Every structure is written in C-alpha cells, then in structure tokens.
Amino acid sequence: MPRLSGGGGLVSTLPDMLALVRALLPGSDTLLKPDTLRQMMTNQLPGGQTIRFANLGPIPGKGFGLGGAVTFAPTPFDPPNSIGEFQWGGLAGTHWWICPEADTAGVLMTQRYMGFWNPFFFEFKRLAYQAIGG
C-alpha cells in the first residue's frame, strides 16, 4: 500500500543543504523578500498548539512556520537563546536550523535511520551554540 508523504524519500547533499540554509538566512542574497522570510520563520499555529509527529507525539515549545518548525519556548534540550529558531530535519538524521536571535545556523548530515531529533542532534546543536558563546 502506498504511503503519501510530501517529503518522504527526499535525498540531498551537503552542498544542497548549505545552499538552502544560506538562501533562508535573514539579510542574505536571496530571491525571497525579507517579509516572506519573516513569515516563514513565524509560528503559524493557533495559541496553545504545538507540532506533533506520529512517532514522537506533541513537541513542546515548537510551532510551525511556513516550511519548518519554529521554537517559541526552548525545552531543556534546546539552547536557552534558541527562541525564534527555524529548523527542519529528515528521518535519517539530517537536520538544519537558523536562529536569527543567536545569529547562528547549522547543518547536520548523518545517516542513522530514525535519527530525527535524536540525542546526537541536540548535543551537536548545544556544542555549536556553546562555540559561538550562546
């Protein structure tokens, strides 16, 4: 039986992921208007709702912008200054984030099935924020 999924089975490379993140950075040379980027990185869910995944359930502190998750309340797993972070990841552990408030962005490319929001991702992000003094 086919499974319908808008992003299921997508494959990418590190250069492509970096190009995507660079194109979404506020103030970057992109085809998108600054207001479009702001809307993409703003939680669009009604108050009190968070994103949820079938295998993880509701994700506290995470809303949904136009094309990715938005952190509106950092959890103990998130860096404290990650409010406004815009991010998304893949099933096998690929993950990218942009945090205008902390002036940081990152890309993690792994190949670990069911690696989506796994502990190694949180450790990588914590160390990245720590490296920039966040």
Side-chain angles (χ1 to χ4, degrees):
M1 169 176 228
R3 300 182 85 179
L4 303 177
S5 174
L10 294 179
V11 177
S12 191
T13 64
L14 180 57
D16 287 344
M17 291 289 277
L18 287 173
L20 170 67
V21 169
R22 286 184 177 133
L24 295 174
L25 288 172
S28 65
D29 183 25
T30 180
L31 298 174
L32 301 173
K33 295 178 182 177
D35 189 53
T36 302
L37 286 174
R38 261 190 306 283
Q39 288 296 315
M40 289 177 70
M41 297 181 187
T42 299
N43 183 22
Q44 304 293 321
L45 296 179
Q49 289 191 12
T50 64
I51 60 173
R52 68 175 49 238
F53 295 100
N55 59 334
L56 299 173
I59 308 295
K62 306 285 186 216
F64 195 78
L66 301 177
V70 177
T71 300
F72 60 81
T75 69
F77 298 107
D78 295 311
N81 59 341
S82 61
I83 293 173
E85 192 177 84
F86 182 59
Q87 62 183 313
W88 201 250
L91 182 67
T94 57
H95 201 101
W96 59 264
W97 83 87
I98 297 167
C99 187
E101 289 299 314
D103 195 26
T104 186
V107 174
L108 177 64
M109 299 290 280
T110 63
Q111 289 298 305
R112 178 178 172 174
Y113 187 65
M114 295 307 288
F116 183 68
W117 281 7
N118 217 300
F120 62 83
F121 162 71
F122 293 106
E123 180 70 2
F124 173 77
K125 188 186 287 189
R126 185 188 65 75
L127 291 170
Y129 273 77
Q130 184 178 19
I132 62 161

